């Protein structure tokens, strides 16, 4: 049975992190170069931790399946990054950011981790400005801020609609410096396929070179996973198509607990699905909700009309009506469910009737088109490119879509999993967002973990390991792990079925969306738990992977990731079925108030569910970490 010791330090919440840092074990500067840290992933969390660890003097191997870290999916984050700077003098502070994040997560995150995130947020902006990130500025030259859902202050720093890209370029510049100095050895086009444990501790990985097909073994003193989320289990999502859950899933199958896998964020501001041919969805940034008003026609018979012909009194600005305190800046989960209710009532718009309007007309009239273009121009360009419609002239159509996963590998306060030596950062872990992530907090968490948390806490672990004692990649345990990778590869190649990995992925995605998506029911989840294993059995009997293992083979890559999704999807449904409450983005239709809001069960479910692998064919074990709220009182989450 896994031991879930959260390692939360004692003392007042506001003092925990500084006190903890002062008591962590340290590594002598001369000894740092005797330790090697393997970092998997090179997005914001991976690039920042790799660069920082190398800057401190450690040897770092960084593995990424892209041809360059600049292709990491962090670049797709459009809207902004939160920090409690209070530049707008509107009452913001560390405590308010902490409180908004805990409330936004529907009281299902760990208080101590969230408070630390709010504390270090103020350092992130200074770090990024020093790296040259071109944040938007006011006329006088000061950094500008906008608002995001779930907050009543303006704390979001942004770079037009390309914040993630610019932050990643800042982290990439720091990483490039350390690559150039020899502190980081980069392994591009390499996908992690196995975690290696030595005496129960994470000491290495096995990777496949996606160009040559070569399988190689990498040994070190600790492993850091910064591999993002698993939302592509739904097939259609806002993730890049290559995003996957394989690294985290392989770690789970070696004993790392997977926490709250059912917590999937549905983002309300996505361009609606337009047909069966689509392979992914495109997001319109939540930042648009600062100036865009969301509405549907009051009468179903008006839904097919040109929106410009629908009179103001015939429009239902439903977020402003239902949630007057927050209006169009209600949190993502709340806004997504509200959009679904409007469509369920028969008032959806667009060809499929699964859409609502995001209308920037008032802002254009108030500010002028040039001002709106300066704030959001590239988002309007993206919308025009995809829909062939100008959002300057007609409202955007949007609908909820899978965007982020709050679940992930369980970690303690030090961001170490229950496997000693395995650290998990950013979206790949579970710790900071609870059952729902507020907008502009993903970039904040990734950079906080990489720049300001793990560089301290990993030393506490490494100090317990003898310098220079890392195992050899030629040890038997590494060879066994590589043989297991080869075995799985050959199994995929030798099945000789008739259907591609994409065929099974698409079918799985529909099952997941229908039964474990925007809303869940007991009956639907039980049905999913019946048909997913059947689909997985069919996959292993009928998948077709062309080509060979010793060259570039994207069909092989895809099939391996879909095999993992088929197992992960089942765990997500099992977790959703077991959690008999509604909280945040986990909405069980059986548990709601008369007005359609989430009905939590704090007496029975104020905990983290951390699932432990029990071997192939066996039901995983559900471990529990109780959540205690010493500072924030758990209450009904209301944005009205």
């Amino acid at each position: 049975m896994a031991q879930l010791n959260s390692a939360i330090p004692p003392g007042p919440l506001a003092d925990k992190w500084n006190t903890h840092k002062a008591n962590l074990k340290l590594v002598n500067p001369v000894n740092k170069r005797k330790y090697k840290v393997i970092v998997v992933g090179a997005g914001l969390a991976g690039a920042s931790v790799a660069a920082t660890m190398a800057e401190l003097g450690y040897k770092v191997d960084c593995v990424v399946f892209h041809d360059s870290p600049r292709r990491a999916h962090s670049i797709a984050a459009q809207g902004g990054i939160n920090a409690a700077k209070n530049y707008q003098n509107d009452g913001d502070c560390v405590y308010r950011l902490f409180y908004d994040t805990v409330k936004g997560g529907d009281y299902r995150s760990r208080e101590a981790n969230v408070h630390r995130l709010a504390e270090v947020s103020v350092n992130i902006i200074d770090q990024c400005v020093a790296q040259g990130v071109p944040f938007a500025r006011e006329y006088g030259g000061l950094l500008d801020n906008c608002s995001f859902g779930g907050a009543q202050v303006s704390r979001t720093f942004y770079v037009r609609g390309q914040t993630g890209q610019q932050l990643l370029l800042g982290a990439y510049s720091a990483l490039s410096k350390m690559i150039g100095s020899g502190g980081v050895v980069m392994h591009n086009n390499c996908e992690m396929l196995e975690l290696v444990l030595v005496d129960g501790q994470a000491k290495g990985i096995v990777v496949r070179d996606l160009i040559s097909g070569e399988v190689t073994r990498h040994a070190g003193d600790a492993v850091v996973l910064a591999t993002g989320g698993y939302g592509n289990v739904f097939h259609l999502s806002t993730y890049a198509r290559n995003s996957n859950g394989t690294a985290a899933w392989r770690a789970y199958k070696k004993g790392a607990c997977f926490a709250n896998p059912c917590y999937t964020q549905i983002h309300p501001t996505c361009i609606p699905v337009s047909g069966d041919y689509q392979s992914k969805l495109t997001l319109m940034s939540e930042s648009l909700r600062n100036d865009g008003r969301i509405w549907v026609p009051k009468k179903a018979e008006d839904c097919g009309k040109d929106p410009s012909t629908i009179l103001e009194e015939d429009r239902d600005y439903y977020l402003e009506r239902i949630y007057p305190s927050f209006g169009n800046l209600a949190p993502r989960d709340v806004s997504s469910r509200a959009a679904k209710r409007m469509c369920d009532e028969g008032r959806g718009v667009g060809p499929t009737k699964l859409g609502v309007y995001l209308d920037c007309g008032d802002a254009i009239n108030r500010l002028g088109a040039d001002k709106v273009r300066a704030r959001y121009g590239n988002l309007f360009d993206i919308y025009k490119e995809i829909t062939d419609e100008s959002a300057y002239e007609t409202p955007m159509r949007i609908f909820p879509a899978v965007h982020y996963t709050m679940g992930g590998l369980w970690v303690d306060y030090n961001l170490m999993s229950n496997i000693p030596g395995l650290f998990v950062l950013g979206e790949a872990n579970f710790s900071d967002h609870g059952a729902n992530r507020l907008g502009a907090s993903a970039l904040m968490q990734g950079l906080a973990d990489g720049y300001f948390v793990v560089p301290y806490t990993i030393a506490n672990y490494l100090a317990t390991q003898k310098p220079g004692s890392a195992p050899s990649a030629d040890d038997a345990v590494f060879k066994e792990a590589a043989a297991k990778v080869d075995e799985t590869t050959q199994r995929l190649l030798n099945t000789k079925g008739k259907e591609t990995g994409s065929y099974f992925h698409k079918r799985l995605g529909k099952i997941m969306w229908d039964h474990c998506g925007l809303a869940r029911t007991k009956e639907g989840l039980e049905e999913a738990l019946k048909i997913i294993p059947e689909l997985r059995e069919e996959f292993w009997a009928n998948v077709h992977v062309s080509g060979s293992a010793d060259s570039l083979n994207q069909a092989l890559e895809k099939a391996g990731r879909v095999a993992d999704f088929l197992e992960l999807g089942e765990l997500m449904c099992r977790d959703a079925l077991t959690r008999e409450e509604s909280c945040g983005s986990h909405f069980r239709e059986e548990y709601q108030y008369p007005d359609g809001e989430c009905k939590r069960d704090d007496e029975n479910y104020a905990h983290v569910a951390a699932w432990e692998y029990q071997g192939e064919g066996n039901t995983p074990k559900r471990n529990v970490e109780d959540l205690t709220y010493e500072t924030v009182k758990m209450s009904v989450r209301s944005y009205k």
Side-chain angles (χ1 to χ4, degrees):
M1 178 178 176
Q3 298 298 313
L4 300 183
N5 177 10
S6 62
I8 298 172
L13 184 66
D15 297 336
K16 287 183 187 295
W17 177 229
N18 284 331
T19 302
H20 187 60
K21 284 193 295 183
N23 288 285
L24 289 170
K25 298 184 180 73
L26 298 175
V27 175
N28 181 302
V30 175
N31 283 338
K32 285 177 182 175
R33 55 178 172 264
K34 299 176 183 177
Y35 292 103
K36 178 185 283 188
V37 177
I38 299 171
V39 177
V40 186
L44 285 180
S48 59
V49 74
T52 307
M53 294 299 293
E55 192 82 54
L56 287 169
Y58 297 99
K59 294 182 291 186
V60 177
D61 275 13
C62 186
V63 174
V64 62
F65 64 64
H66 299 292
D67 60 351
S68 166
R70 289 179 296 173
R71 295 196 189 277
H73 191 51
S74 299
I75 67 164
Q78 299 164 336
I81 177 171
N82 288 329
K85 286 285 201 180
N86 194 32
Y87 280 2
Q88 303 301 314
N89 197 28
D90 56 1
D92 200 15
C93 60
V94 166
Y95 179 83
R96 199 176 294 275
L97 174 53
F98 155 71
Y99 175 81
D100 286 346
T101 305
V102 169
K103 177 184 176 183
D106 215 351
Y107 307 96
R108 291 294 179 265
S109 51
R110 192 188 284 149
E111 246 192 0
N113 289 64
V114 177
H115 196 279
R116 175 176 62 192
L117 177 65
E119 287 179 66
V120 303
S121 70
V122 298
N123 299 327
I124 296 170
I125 304 305
D126 297 337
Q127 171 90 0
C128 295
V129 168
Q131 291 173 336
V133 174
F135 288 118
R137 293 178 182 268
E138 297 176 332
Y139 180 77
L142 299 177
L143 297 185
D144 195 13
N145 292 118
C146 65
S147 299
F148 259 63
Q152 292 182 306
V153 297
S154 295
R155 63 163 67 102
T156 305
F157 296 77
Y158 64 97
V159 186
R160 210 175 184 192
Q162 49 189 260
T163 312
Q165 181 188 46
Q166 296 301 324
L167 291 173
L168 184 63
L169 289 174
Y172 177 68
S173 68
L175 178 62
S176 296
K177 173 190 172 187
M178 299 318 299
I179 294 170
S181 70
V184 175
V185 177
M186 204 68 211
H187 302 272
N188 295 332
N189 296 307
C190 288
E191 182 169 27
M192 173 187 155
L193 295 178
E194 194 65 53
L195 176 71
V196 181
L197 306 185
V198 177
D199 296 328
Q201 302 186 70
K203 293 297 182 182
I205 60 173
V206 175
V207 308
R208 178 177 179 270
D209 187 304
L210 299 180
I211 303 299
S212 68
E214 182 184 8
V215 174
T216 56
R217 310 180 295 269
H218 300 260
D221 294 279
V223 176
V224 177
L225 294 187
T227 50
Y230 49 90
N232 266 344
V233 70
F234 289 88
H235 180 63
L236 284 181
S237 74
T238 67
Y239 285 72
R241 288 301 294 165
N242 270 348
S243 298
N244 63 84
T246 286
W249 192 248
R250 303 297 169 90
Y252 163 75
K253 296 183 80 170
K254 295 304 279 283
C257 287
F258 211 115
N260 301 331
C262 77
Y263 287 166
T264 305
Q265 178 162 87
I266 313 293
H267 197 296
T269 317
C270 181
I271 298 177
V273 176
S274 59
D276 289 340
Y277 55 84
Q278 281 184 265
S279 62
K280 77 175 300 295
L281 299 173
T282 303
L283 191 70
M284 291 289 98
S285 169
E286 183 177 316
S287 61
L288 287 166
R289 295 202 274 153
N290 277 275
D291 291 307
R293 302 177 70 193
I294 296 174
W295 62 276
V296 292
K298 289 182 178 178
K299 296 176 289 188
E301 55 265 32
D302 287 344
C303 290
K305 292 183 178 179
D306 181 336
S308 65
T309 67
I310 300 175
L311 300 176
E312 191 73 13
E313 58 265 29
D314 293 327
R315 301 178 178 189
D316 180 8
Y317 294 94
Y318 59 89
L319 289 179
E320 298 172 33
R321 170 174 58 84
I322 302 171
Y323 308 104
S325 293
F326 284 76
N328 296 297
L329 289 171
R332 292 176 176 178
D333 62 321
V334 171
S335 301
S336 293
R337 284 193 297 276
K340 181 180 184 295
R341 290 202 299 273
M342 297 305 109
C343 294
D344 289 346
E345 291 174 9
R347 294 192 286 146
V349 301
T352 64
K353 304 302 181 186
L354 293 177
V356 299
Y357 288 124
L358 173 60
D359 193 343
C360 292
D362 280 3
I364 291 171
N365 292 333
R366 184 179 75 252
L367 303 170
D370 287 344
K371 183 73 170 179
V372 171
R373 186 175 290 108
R375 290 179 179 176
Y376 313 113
N378 61 312
L379 299 172
F380 280 60
D381 293 343
I382 292 170
Y383 188 81
K384 170 72 172 176
E385 186 72 24
I386 291 173
T387 67
D388 199 28
E389 296 176 6
S390 171
Y392 295 105
E393 300 169 4
T394 189
M396 293 180 179
R397 291 190 308 278
I398 57 170
F399 192 70
V402 172
H403 178 61
Y404 189 90
T405 49
M406 283 76 64
L409 294 182
W410 183 90
V411 292
D412 64 11
Y413 187 72
N414 293 320
L415 303 187
M416 187 167 74
S417 74
N418 57 292
I419 296 177
L422 177 64
F423 292 78
V424 191
L425 281 61
E427 191 180 358
N429 77 32
F430 88 98
S431 64
D432 289 29
H433 307 301
N436 174 60
R437 179 175 70 79
L438 291 184
S441 59
L443 305 182
M444 176 174 60
Q445 186 206 354
L447 292 179
D449 290 354
Y451 282 135
F452 299 111
V453 178
V454 166
Y456 289 100
T457 62
I458 199 170
N460 192 61
Y461 168 75
L462 292 174
T464 67
Q465 309 295 301
K466 183 180 178 182
S469 65
S472 167
D474 291 326
D475 287 354
V477 65
F478 282 85
K479 292 180 179 179
E480 290 170 9
K484 184 178 179 182
V485 169
D486 288 333
E487 180 184 345
T488 302
T489 298
Q490 291 307 314
R491 185 182 179 192
L492 289 167
L493 290 169
N494 294 335
T495 299
K496 305 300 183 185
K498 295 181 179 180
E499 303 293 350
T500 65
S502 295
Y503 167 82
F504 291 99
H505 191 191
K506 189 173 183 178
R507 288 174 59 189
L508 173 66
K510 179 169 174 47
I511 296 168
M512 294 300 297
W513 178 254
D514 289 347
H515 299 305
C516 197
L518 191 50
R520 298 98 187 259
T521 66
K522 181 177 186 289
E523 293 75 17
L525 291 164
E526 288 175 341
E527 174 68 11
L529 287 170
K530 174 186 174 186
I531 57 181
I532 291 175
E534 293 173 355
L535 181 63
R536 186 167 65 248
E537 186 176 334
E538 182 184 343
F539 170 87
W540 284 110
N542 198 33
V543 70
H544 176 76
V545 179
S546 57
S548 66
D550 55 2
S551 64
L552 174 65
N553 189 340
Q554 292 183 315
L556 177 60
E557 297 170 36
K558 175 75 175 184
R561 295 165 187 171
V562 172
D564 292 332
F565 280 146
L566 284 162
E567 297 179 357
L568 174 55
E570 182 178 349
L571 183 66
M572 292 169 68
C573 293
R574 189 178 301 279
D575 186 45
L577 178 63
T578 308
R579 186 169 287 276
E580 295 181 340
E581 65 166 353
S582 288
C583 56
S585 293
H586 169 61
F587 187 71
R588 283 280 296 270
E589 291 185 353
E590 305 95 321
Y591 306 102
Q592 58 179 298
Y593 291 104
D595 61 0
E597 300 297 336
C598 285
K599 189 174 184 180
R600 290 196 326 266
D601 182 353
D602 293 336
E603 182 177 349
N604 295 306
Y605 292 99
H607 60 241
V608 177
W611 295 86
E612 183 181 0
Y613 185 62
Q614 298 292 296
E616 188 172 352
N618 298 320
T619 301
K621 179 177 178 56
R622 188 179 191 269
N623 299 300
V624 166
E625 177 201 340
D626 290 325
L627 294 170
T628 56
Y629 286 85
E630 301 173 0
T631 304
V632 177
K633 180 182 178 182
M634 285 190 285
S635 59
V636 175
R637 181 171 169 247
S638 174
Y639 292 92
K640 296 182 177 182

